[in-house]
Each structure stands twice: as structure tokens, then as C-alpha cells.
Amino acid sequence: MIIGIPKEIMSGEHRVSATPDTVRKFVQDGFRVLFEAEAGEGALYHDEDYKAAGAEIRTDVKSIYNDADLILKVKEPLFNSVLNIHEVDMMKEGQVLITFIHPASPVNHDMVRNLAKRGVISITLDGIPRISRAQQLDALTSMSTCAGYKGIIMAADDMVKFIPPIFSAVGSMPPAKALIIGVGVAGLQALATARRLGATTYAMDIRPAAREQATSLGAKVIETSVPDELGVGEGGYAKHLPNEWLLKEREVIREAIKDMDIVFLSALVPGKIAPVLITEDMVKGMKRGSCIVDISIDQGGNCEITPPGKKEIKHGVILNGIKNIPGMIPQASTYMFSENMYQMVKYFVPGGKLNLDMTDQVVSSALVTNNGEILHVGTKEAMGIA
């Protein structure tokens, strides 16, 4: 089986889906690896090292898509403005794609439909369930660690005031206040980073275990009053709340964010559109110069007016919807991501043969398209497909 590693084309994306070390392991496992020239340069992994590991370096990405049986990417397929063609349109029937697709997000629906139309077998990394036997496959956890850390650093860079308490000859200034909404892997890393920087930290989550973990990191937990049985789903993940409880949660958030300098949003429901927790009207009530970092934007965003893929100031509040935050620390994130990818290939393509056992929770949760059909439950729900 031939593995293709194309260069990422999203603006500002410097990660790549394989390192020389994982290429070496692929070759040892019997795969042939086609690697696009300079695809690893942004993460400081160089062509000569990939070549030494056994990869075939190619300058024509179309030939990689044409010849590969399996495509490994970091981000969802996008339009290649240099070649004037969408990456999906370079794919072929029966080809396997493994990447972050975020298929439930409305902005990706047309792309997912095209994957199905072209007969591509697509597997999304954000669909991997957080169960013990899938831990090594869980790129979402790896990248969430990166996003939690870097997201707070980005907020600090945009701040109009100090984060830690400052004592000076002209007086003292209190620490900034940071609220983390959604205390999963990314949220916990964000809490830890904000606290290291000297902020007073607050946390909100509808899951009791997450609130307990936030408390252990020194955060002040803001209670939502949502019953635990409504907030906790299978595997400990958060669930979409009934509308009446979502409205109650928003009112708690409305009051809490009025006094915050940083609001970090990472509340997600696996495989589904992110819940809207902050409306535009709520943003209007925030302090001018405060920052929202919405890392759930790949799945629609927790803030109603977060600009997808960019940063804007609206109603005096800095709204950051940059989608490739882990790509801003590319060497570390590429190392973590590539190891997850290697384990993904071992799991889905054991011995070089594709295994799509739909009775397997990992497979059924991550498979998006196959045989011309859209199979991903959250995506079908978001698209209104019965």
C-alpha cells in the first residue's frame, strides 16, 4: 500500500502528518511513502531526513494524490489556490483519507458531500472515541493540549493589561481574570497556563468530574445548576443540553463574562456542532479590550459571532477564531500528531489491508464516508439527513 503525505495548504499551517521517524516506521512495516517536497520545513523537519528514512520525495502533489492508496493530512481538504483545484478533486474512488475533517461543521458539508460523491473512504480524527484502547490514536487530545497552551498565550499577547498582579512605584494592579468554559483536555491546559501566567482563574463545565479537575488546578468553579444527568454523556463527554437548560446556562455565562479579561471556549460535543454558549448580545455586555479565544470554531464555535479562521474586534471585544492554533507550535504538535497518525494507520490498515469493521466503536465513530455514502451520525444529523 502506498501512503501519500501532501504539504498542508491552510494559511499559517506549518504542521505535517509524518516525521522522518514515523516515515521510517511506515517503511519498515512494508508501506511505500510519497512525500511532497518541503512539506515538513515549517516544523523544522527536512526533505533529506525524510529521504534517508525511506520516503520518495515528489514536487508534484497531483502525482501523490494520483498514486497513493492512503492520504494522511493534518487539516481538512481545502481549495488549492496555486493549482486552482480543490484537494478533494485530486482524490480518487477507493482512496482512504485520514485527517481532521470536522464533518458536522456546516462550513465543511459541501466538502464532505464531495468526498462521498468521489467515492473516497474518509476517516476523521475528531471522531476517535476517548476509550482506553484508542488512546494512542487520539490526535484530538494531543492537539487539544497544544491549543489549550497556545490559546492562552495568544490571549495574553492581545491583552491591553498585565496578566499577573503587578506591584510598582506608582501602585499595584490586580491580576487579570480568565474564565475557561469547557474543561476537557484543552480547557485544563488553558487553566494551567493561565494560572502559571498569574491570572485569577475561573472554570465552567456541565460535568462534575471536569469541575473537580478544574478545582484541583486552583480554579474557582462557576456553577451552572445544570443537572449532572443532563450534562454527562457516554464516555464522560458533554451532551447537548435541552434548549431550556441551554438558555439557563447562557444566563449564568452572561453574568460571569461581564467581569472577565479572557474567556477561553472549548466546549464540544463529540461529532456534533459545538453548542452556542455566548450570543452576540452577551458579547456586547463584556468589558472593552477583553478577549475571547474560541478553539471550538472547527465545529462551529461556542460564540455566535466568532470569525472562523481569523481574529476580529467586535463590540470592543477581541474575538479569536483562528483554526490552526496547534500549527503555531509546529514542531511539538507535529511530533505528537505524527505518532497518533502512525497508530491510526496500524489500527485501520493492519498489515497493509484496510479494516472497516463497523461493529468496532472506533471505526463506526470515525468513518465519515464510504461507498459513496455519508455514514457519520453527527454529520447526518447536522445536514438533516434521516
Side-chain angles (χ1 to χ4, degrees):
M1 181 175 276
I2 301 173
I3 295 175
I5 311 290
K7 185 176 182 178
E8 297 298 317
I9 61 173
M10 175 178 279
S11 177
E13 179 57 79
H14 301 297
R15 289 174 293 174
V16 64
S17 57
T19 62
D21 283 343
T22 56
V23 165
R24 185 175 294 108
K25 289 190 283 189
F26 282 135
V27 172
Q28 290 172 349
D29 291 345
F31 292 94
R32 180 182 169 197
V33 180
L34 309 180
F35 188 87
E36 186 177 358
E38 300 186 348
E41 288 296 320
L44 302 182
Y45 296 106
H46 309 298
D47 286 355
E48 56 266 30
D49 297 321
Y50 286 103
K51 188 173 182 180
E56 178 182 332
I57 308 299
R58 292 195 178 181
T59 57
D60 180 12
V61 70
K62 286 185 177 181
S63 74
I64 293 177
Y65 281 103
N66 184 67
D67 294 344
D69 304 298
L70 169 61
I71 297 291
L72 303 182
K73 278 180 50 61
V74 178
K75 299 300 293 183
E76 69 272 19
L78 300 167
F79 183 79
N80 189 320
S81 58
V82 175
L83 299 177
N84 198 34
I85 188 172
H86 200 286
E87 287 179 307
V88 173
D89 293 326
M90 291 189 277
M91 297 180 192
K92 58 188 180 182
E93 185 175 358
Q95 195 169 54
V96 180
L97 168 69
I98 302 178
T99 187
F100 277 115
I101 298 174
H102 303 292
S105 180
V107 72
N108 291 328
H109 287 178
D110 286 343
M111 178 265 291
V112 171
R113 291 187 186 99
N114 201 20
L115 283 170
K117 182 180 178 181
R118 295 189 70 84
V120 176
I121 302 165
S122 61
I123 298 167
T124 187
L125 294 166
D126 55 299
I128 299 298
R130 282 183 178 153
I131 55 179
S132 57
R133 63 187 176 89
Q135 284 181 345
Q136 289 185 302
L137 286 63
D138 193 356
L140 186 60
T141 289
S142 297
M143 297 304 99
S144 293
T145 299
C146 298
Y149 164 78
K150 188 63 174 180
I152 292 296
I153 300 298
M154 291 161 59
D157 192 47
D158 288 333
M159 287 280 292
V160 296
K161 57 185 286 187
F162 292 113
I163 286 187
I166 295 294
F167 304 94
S168 72
V170 295
S172 62
M173 286 174 274
K177 295 180 178 181
L179 170 62
I180 281 67
I181 301 179
V183 195
V185 175
L188 288 171
Q189 187 61 235
L191 272 178
T193 303
R195 187 170 177 79
R196 291 187 200 108
L197 291 175
T200 301
T201 53
Y202 301 80
M204 291 183 67
D205 201 293
I206 57 177
R207 299 165 296 171
R211 297 195 295 271
E212 184 178 339
Q213 289 177 309
T215 301
S216 72
L217 288 178
K220 300 176 182 179
V221 172
I222 298 173
E223 296 291 344
T224 64
S225 77
V226 174
D228 293 345
E229 63 272 16
L230 288 181
V232 184
E234 185 178 352
Y237 287 106
K239 292 195 302 186
H240 263 302
L241 293 176
N243 193 56
E244 62 179 297
W245 282 103
L246 177 60
L247 293 176
K248 291 178 181 178
E249 184 183 20
R250 283 180 184 166
E251 288 309 307
V252 175
I253 294 172
R254 180 190 295 275
E255 292 305 310
I257 63 177
K258 288 179 179 179
D259 196 36
M260 296 297 157
D261 300 293
I262 297 171
V263 178
F264 182 91
L265 300 172
S266 60
L268 291 172
V269 177
K272 298 187 179 182
I273 298 172
V276 175
L277 302 178
I278 297 178
T279 64
E280 181 171 10
D281 185 60
M282 293 162 69
V283 173
K284 291 178 181 178
M286 294 178 67
K287 293 193 297 186
R288 300 302 177 256
S290 57
C291 306
I292 291 177
V293 178
D294 191 348
I295 72 162
S296 67
I297 193 63
D298 275 321
Q299 289 177 227
N302 290 143
C303 177
E304 183 180 36
I305 58 171
T306 301
K310 55 186 177 179
K311 180 169 62 177
E312 293 181 357
I313 298 176
K314 297 182 180 180
H315 309 300
V317 176
I318 302 164
L319 291 156
N320 196 325
I322 291 176
K323 289 189 170 188
N324 58 338
I325 294 175
M328 300 174 79
I329 45 173
Q331 190 173 69
S333 56
T334 287
Y335 168 77
M336 298 172 75
F337 185 88
S338 64
E339 292 296 329
N340 294 136
M341 274 298 208
Y342 176 70
Q343 297 299 329
M344 283 287 293
V345 173
K346 283 185 66 176
Y347 195 94
F348 280 87
V349 195
K353 294 183 179 179
L354 183 64
N355 176 30
L356 296 179
D357 179 5
M358 293 302 289
T359 64
D360 181 341
Q361 182 185 357
V362 175
V363 175
S364 62
S365 297
L367 188 63
V368 179
T369 61
N370 188 27
N371 292 325
E373 293 184 73
I374 297 171
L375 303 176
H376 191 262
V377 175
T379 304
K380 293 170 70 175
E381 180 181 297
M383 289 182 174
I385 299 173

